[in-house]
Amino acid sequence: MNAFDLALSRLRPRLPSPLEPVEDERLARHGLRLLLKRDDLIHPELPGNKWRKLALNLRAADGRPVLTFGGAYSHHLCATAAAGRLLGFDTVGVVRGDELAGRPLNPSLARCAADGMRLWFVDRSTYRAKNDPDVLAGLLDRCPPGTYVVPEGGSNALAVQGCVELGRELSGAVDVAAVACGTGGTLAGLAAGLGPGPGEPPAEGGARALGVPVLKGGFLGAEVRGLQAAAFGGPRGEWSLDERFHCGGYARTTPALETFAQDFEARHGLAIERLYVAKMLYGLFALAREGAFAPGTRIAAVITGAPS
């Protein structure tokens, strides 16, 4: 084990994360059982899908500086910055919105800076072109040689492979596993882990993954297919998206979502993160009312993070 792998092992993530049953009469009346997959408990500073998506990327980086991307409230930027502090590597966060450069840092970006991340604010057109080889080369020219690039949201082939274990931890215990989606990497790996392995026949009545996008735009299906192709060479597992519950887009909420989240918290004593987790739970309860799940269905809701 090299020095970086040793440091990585010392983080001691809590895996597998707990799977906790929840009694809720709103689902029980439809014959449904809800279980919470508490990925928010994996690590206090690297919770949920952030650990699963980053771990293999950080091993590949092997202590080199890491450059990555995110918006002003990006959980991914926060997790990458925390990992840099905990594991002793430099981090650079390219942040969407050059207008933010002259303003006080919001709590998310302030936490990134406190963890040692250098923040580079770029205009929105440059940010949209971040995957263009010339634009990326220009950013890397400002970094030390050998800097490792992690894409926005952490979603790449290694991240997808890291999320396969999430599906394996749920396989056989649930019929549907739901997760909020930003860039699609967690859903791509979750579905693969729930499904049969390469060369194995599909299991009759096997589990499926349900993604609830938190951004509007209808682009995520193609992203998930592309990520699975990059990670596995083709599709894996059964998955679908329901794009009705983004509440207007990323970082947006509605009074109805807030009412639902507060009620869920009061019923079950669990604080709910609003931008991802609340939208996924809100969608599950709406789908249950619509009769989308057969009686007897065991539904896992993946809790990917805690409130900031």
Side-chain angles (χ1 to χ4, degrees):
M1 183 180 290
N2 63 26
F4 187 78
D5 276 339
L6 181 61
L8 206 59
S9 69
R10 285 174 179 159
L11 287 179
R12 297 179 180 175
R14 185 181 180 183
L15 294 170
S17 60
L19 185 61
E20 301 175 350
V22 168
E23 300 296 330
D24 195 301
E25 69 274 12
R26 295 170 295 178
L27 298 181
R29 71 170 65 110
H30 299 286
L32 307 176
R33 184 182 180 204
L34 178 65
L35 303 103
L36 303 183
K37 181 60 169 166
R38 297 294 304 278
D39 265 20
D40 57 311
L41 300 178
I42 287 178
H43 188 278
E45 296 187 79
L46 300 170
N49 58 344
K50 303 311 175 191
W51 167 261
R52 296 187 190 271
K53 293 167 76 174
L54 279 173
L56 294 182
N57 275 292
L58 298 183
R59 182 171 287 117
D62 196 21
R64 290 178 286 158
V66 169
L67 171 78
T68 194
F69 305 85
Y73 294 92
S74 169
H75 298 302
H76 167 67
L77 287 182
C78 291
T80 304
R85 173 176 56 79
L86 292 166
L87 296 170
F89 63 88
D90 292 333
T91 57
V92 176
V94 179
V95 183
R96 179 179 61 247
D98 57 345
E99 74 277 4
L100 302 172
R103 300 177 185 174
L105 298 179
N106 67 36
S108 296
L109 294 178
R111 187 160 64 249
C112 291
D115 281 335
M117 176 175 274
R118 286 184 290 161
L119 300 173
W120 295 348
F121 298 94
V122 300
D123 63 81
R124 293 168 189 274
S125 62
T126 299
Y127 191 89
R128 284 193 297 271
K130 59 188 175 297
N131 296 324
D132 180 277
D134 292 336
V135 173
L136 184 58
L139 293 168
L140 287 172
D141 282 344
R142 301 168 59 186
C143 299
T147 293
Y148 184 88
V149 177
V150 176
E152 181 181 36
S155 289
N156 59 8
L158 287 177
V160 172
Q161 292 164 10
C163 291
V164 168
E165 195 61 29
L166 170 61
R168 290 177 178 156
E169 290 171 18
L170 290 169
S171 182
V174 303
D175 305 298
V176 175
V179 66
C181 300
T183 51
T186 304
L187 177 64
L190 169 63
L194 286 170
E200 296 179 1
E204 186 175 347
R208 62 184 177 92
L210 170 64
V212 178
V214 302
L215 294 86
K216 60 182 179 180
F219 61 90
L220 204 57
E223 292 293 321
V224 175
R225 289 189 288 272
L227 286 165
Q228 287 199 333
F232 313 118
R236 288 285 189 277
E238 182 183 350
W239 58 271
S240 62
L241 295 168
D242 195 312
E243 307 207 24
R244 295 178 293 160
F245 305 109
H246 53 68
C247 296
Y250 185 69
R252 296 188 179 182
T253 62
T254 63
L257 180 73
E258 183 61 30
T259 298
F260 168 84
Q262 290 179 1
D263 179 67
F264 191 94
E265 290 172 332
R267 289 171 185 259
H268 303 298
L270 174 66
I272 296 298
E273 186 272 332
R274 298 302 198 259
L275 304 186
Y276 286 86
V277 176
K279 293 179 181 181
M280 178 268 298
L281 289 169
Y282 183 72
L284 282 180
F285 278 75
L287 287 165
R289 291 193 301 271
E290 294 170 3
F293 306 114
T297 300
R298 300 165 297 172
I299 304 170
V302 182
I303 309 301
T304 48
S308 301

